[in-house]
Amino acid sequence: MSNIRTFIADIKSRKMYKNMNDCIIESNNENYPHLTFQVKSVVDYLRIIELLSKTKYENFVGGEIIYRGMSDAEWKLIPSLGRCLDLSNGQEFNLVNSFLALRPEAFQELNTNFEILSKMQHYGLPTRLLDFTTNPLIALFFACNEFIGAKDARVVCHRAYVNVAQNPIIEEICGFYNYFTQEDIWLEDLSISPKKYLQKLYRNEDYRFLVARPFNWNERIRRQAAVFMIFPNKLFDHFALFVSGGREAYGDHWKNESIRNLLEMVENEPLKKMYPNAVVKSFDFDSRDFYVTHRSIKFLFDYYNENTIGEYMLNNWENPFKKRFQFDSELQNIDSETMKREFCSIVIDKKKKKEILKELCTLGIDESYVYPELQYAAKKIKDTYL
């Protein structure tokens, strides 16, 4: 949740929920180092959801809470495409374009890259999209509907600004399937200005993730109140690498007069604060952690805003920093600092999953509602009478 500390303070200040702290558990999961509750009933769950909805957040106009239900509490917040170990061999290009070639009629009426990916996600193709919902009961259903009695479940909550499908930055990122080798893409190759891209994805103080709502092109999408979180590719800072590696290691770059002038400016940037884990141990590219983060961009923008040449640098980003930031084939994951600050979790006791599903059924949330296709209606009738 944005400003999770506000939420914690809000819980403690509400006397009517003075027993709510009994639901708070210590999070020992390294993937979820944030405020975590554990519930054993729909009533407990809805009490927490009520608190989430009542908590006010300044400077977050239009934000709404989104939820992701996972039947295994250990699962990470990673889209299906991001679970592939290596994406450098054109996997996304082949997956998406093969689907388009095989069934072109299924996508000819879709006008955006995001809509194409969301439809493919709907049918099980691995994409850079991660399913969420704006309906907390739907998320609870997905959390409890599998591994009954075998694994604790989790509902992850986050306050997000839900974009429209035609958002330009989302369109650029979802259109990466047009590149066979995404490591050939530089930040300035996008139709969005580098400054705007970095500000939107990394600079905002509230860490807004890219989230969009698909068009309700079928009944299942509508009933599930589906939204998707869009994961961009990681971004690598070559200038920081060249400076930290030294003039001997990257002599060709330092000998180039136009690049050398820029590298001399980069030497003055707060690189140790920007990339605290970046230690150049060898000439092995993979050992150098100069990937862009919220932290690095914050320090970078703050530095040039305070610097005498900062206004020029930030307003003419394309020229001074050309060929500085290059995309990687790997998708950008959610780091632990952001996870702690921007999210919270509700863990469901594995022994209570079956009971909670029965409670949800009385509220009209069951398999035949979530999946409106006829086979699920037939399954419900069979289970009722046989």
Side-chain angles (χ1 to χ4, degrees):
M1 305 298 298
S2 284
N3 195 359
I4 193 68
R5 288 171 292 185
T6 302
F7 178 51
I8 297 173
D10 195 56
I11 290 175
K12 294 180 179 179
S13 67
R14 293 179 185 275
K15 295 181 180 179
M16 61 184 297
Y17 296 111
K18 62 182 180 180
N19 294 325
M20 181 58 72
N21 286 331
D22 295 338
C23 296
I24 299 177
I25 61 174
E26 183 177 353
S27 178
N28 296 319
N29 190 315
E30 61 180 10
N31 298 318
Y32 302 96
H34 52 223
L35 179 66
T36 303
F37 303 89
Q38 185 166 52
V39 299
K40 298 181 180 180
S41 69
V42 174
V43 172
D44 289 343
Y45 179 77
L46 290 177
R47 289 169 65 202
I48 297 171
I49 298 302
E50 182 185 11
L51 279 176
L52 288 173
S53 64
K54 287 183 176 180
T55 303
K56 297 180 180 180
Y57 297 86
E58 298 180 358
N59 303 320
F60 207 106
V61 179
E64 54 186 297
I65 303 172
I66 61 174
Y67 311 88
R68 175 169 172 79
M70 301 181 292
S71 52
D72 186 342
E74 300 297 318
W75 285 346
K76 298 180 180 180
L77 283 183
I78 301 176
S80 51
L81 186 68
R83 295 168 201 154
C84 301
L85 296 178
D86 183 11
L87 292 172
S88 61
N89 294 317
Q91 284 90 335
E92 185 178 28
F93 177 91
N94 289 323
L95 285 167
V96 176
N97 287 287
S98 295
F99 205 156
L100 290 172
L102 187 64
R103 294 293 303 273
E105 76 284 355
F107 303 95
Q108 62 184 5
E109 295 183 0
L110 302 181
N111 298 316
T112 67
N113 293 318
F114 169 71
E115 286 295 325
I116 290 173
L117 292 190
S118 64
K119 189 167 187 177
M120 292 182 175
Q121 173 87 357
H122 173 77
Y123 287 107
L125 193 80
T127 74
R128 61 176 62 240
L129 309 182
L130 188 63
D131 301 84
F132 278 79
T133 176
T134 56
N135 187 331
L137 292 180
I138 294 293
L140 183 60
F141 171 83
F142 280 121
C144 295
N145 198 42
E146 294 182 10
F147 307 136
I148 298 174
K151 295 179 180 292
D152 287 344
R154 182 185 299 271
V155 173
V156 178
C157 313
H158 171 66
R159 185 177 292 271
Y161 178 81
V162 181
N163 295 275
V164 296
Q166 296 90 344
N167 180 284
I169 293 182
I170 290 177
E171 270 301 280
E172 283 290 322
I173 293 172
C174 289
F176 270 28
Y177 68 80
N178 291 300
Y179 299 89
F180 184 85
T181 304
Q182 295 167 354
E183 293 172 346
D184 292 338
I185 310 173
W186 293 86
L187 186 55
E188 62 266 21
D189 293 336
L190 305 185
S191 62
I192 303 296
S193 73
K195 178 183 176 183
K196 184 177 293 186
Y197 183 92
L198 294 173
Q199 283 181 320
K200 178 66 176 177
L201 267 69
Y202 298 101
R203 183 66 180 95
N204 283 329
E205 294 297 330
D206 54 23
Y207 285 27
R208 294 188 186 181
F209 289 88
L210 292 175
V211 177
R213 179 179 284 109
F215 295 125
N216 292 334
W217 47 266
N218 73 4
E219 183 65 13
R220 182 191 286 197
I221 292 288
R222 187 187 69 80
R223 292 192 185 190
Q224 294 181 6
V227 295
F228 295 107
M229 184 176 287
I230 299 96
F231 283 68
N233 288 62
K234 295 174 70 174
L235 200 58
F236 191 86
D237 186 345
H238 282 282
F239 283 9
L241 172 64
F242 298 154
V243 169
S244 299
R247 303 192 182 195
E248 293 183 1
Y250 297 98
D252 291 341
H253 299 283
W254 283 95
K255 291 175 183 177
N256 185 313
E257 183 176 354
S258 60
I259 298 179
R260 184 175 68 248
N261 293 334
L262 292 173
L263 295 181
E264 288 173 348
M265 283 195 303
V266 173
E267 279 185 311
N268 296 318
E269 292 177 4
L271 293 177
K272 290 185 178 180
K273 292 182 179 179
M274 292 167 59
Y275 305 102
N277 298 321
V279 179
V280 181
K281 298 179 180 179
S282 67
F283 293 118
D284 178 12
F285 183 85
D286 293 331
S287 69
R288 300 161 189 166
D289 188 4
F290 290 95
Y291 287 104
V292 170
T293 64
H294 294 285
R295 175 193 182 96
S296 66
I297 294 303
K298 178 184 185 305
F299 281 114
L300 183 67
F301 272 66
D302 288 349
Y303 169 75
Y304 282 109
N305 280 327
E306 297 170 0
N307 194 287
T308 55
I309 62 170
E311 184 176 355
Y312 169 78
M313 294 294 291
L314 293 181
N315 291 332
N316 297 275
W317 195 278
E318 291 82 350
N319 294 322
F321 291 138
K322 191 173 183 180
K323 297 297 181 182
R324 173 168 185 171
F325 297 103
Q326 184 179 21
F327 287 99
D328 188 78
S329 60
E330 187 178 347
L331 299 187
Q332 177 84 54
N333 291 330
I334 304 174
D335 60 76
S336 59
E337 179 185 342
T338 305
M339 186 69 71
K340 183 176 181 179
R341 175 175 171 173
E342 305 301 319
F343 294 81
C344 69
S345 285
I346 304 172
V347 174
I348 296 92
D349 188 330
K350 59 186 177 183
K351 298 178 182 178
K352 298 296 181 178
K353 281 186 175 182
K354 188 173 183 179
E355 185 177 328
I356 288 175
L357 285 174
K358 290 181 180 179
E359 294 178 37
L360 286 173
C361 188
T362 64
L363 298 173
I365 305 295
D366 60 13
E367 199 171 45
S368 65
Y369 175 82
V370 175
Y371 304 107
E373 292 83 4
L374 282 177
Q375 63 264 37
Y376 294 99
K379 182 177 182 298
K380 179 179 180 179
I381 293 172
K382 182 181 71 174
D383 292 343
T384 300
Y385 292 102
L386 298 180

